[in-house]
């Protein structure tokens, strides 16, 4: 199986996705999500609904398996404020994994001190989120 598994995308960056409806029944290993296995840098998902089952081993989320902001610029540069936004999203189904499991995002990381945290606004999560280690209702925040 590929290392990034998603119903719509394996790995995406610097993108805006709006008004989508996704039916998913996906099984992966690491970085598994209903929309994308891995997303990084500027990402906005707005008005998205995902329904179904998302199962994996590590970094598993209803929407995104693994998300990160990898900004390497210093304060005041073009890389300082990249948005990682999930707004008006819903997930209805089951998310299962071993570690780093979340209803919306399995794991989110900020690799640079200037990068912004994930912004989660108006979430509707229905179903179950199950795992053995580092399990969260919305997301496992990392650092």
């Amino acid at each position: 199986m590929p290392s990034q598994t998603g119903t719509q995308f394996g790995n995406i960056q610097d993108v805006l996705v709006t008004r989508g409806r996704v039916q998913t029944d996906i099984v992966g290993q690491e970085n598994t999500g209903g929309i994308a296995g891995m997303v990084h840098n500027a990402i906005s998902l707005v008005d998205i609904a995902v329904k179904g089952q998302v199962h994996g081993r590590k970094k598993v989320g209803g929407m995104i398996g693994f998300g990160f902001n990898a900004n390497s610029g210093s304060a005041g540069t073009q890389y300082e404020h990249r948005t990682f936004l999930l707004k008006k999203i819903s997930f209805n189904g089951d998310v299962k994994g071993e570690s780093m499991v979340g209803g919306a995002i399995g794991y989110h990381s900020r690799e640079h001190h200037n990068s912004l945290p994930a912004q989660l606004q108006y979430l509707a999560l229905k179903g179950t989120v199950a795992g053995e280690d580092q399990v969260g209702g919305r997301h496992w925040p990392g650092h």
Side-chain angles (χ1 to χ4, degrees), residues 1-11 26-33 35-38 54-60 65-66:
M1 274 183 228
S3 60
Q4 285 89 6
T5 309
T7 300
Q8 301 299 309
F9 309 101
N11 182 351
I26 191 162
V27 176
Q29 288 293 318
E30 190 168 330
N31 304 332
T32 303
I35 296 284
M38 179 187 292
V54 180
H55 298 178
R57 191 178 59 75
K58 183 177 179 183
K59 299 177 188 166
V60 183
F66 176 40

Side-chain angles (χ1 to χ4, degrees), residues 26-29 32-33 52-62 91 93-103 127-132 135:
I26 191 162
V27 176
Q29 288 293 318
T32 303
Q53 313 297 312
V54 180
H55 298 178
R57 191 178 59 75
K58 183 177 179 183
K59 299 177 188 166
V60 183
F91 179 80
D94 298 315
V95 181
K96 294 181 183 174
E98 292 176 15
S99 66
M100 297 179 221
V101 183
T128 60
V129 177
E132 298 172 18
V135 179

Side-chain angles (χ1 to χ4, degrees), residues 41 70-74 76-82 112 114-116:
N41 294 336
N71 302 335
S72 59
S74 59
T77 69
Q78 65 179 346
Y79 301 105
E80 182 180 5
H81 299 293
R82 294 240 175 150
H112 192 272
N114 290 336
S115 63
L116 298 173

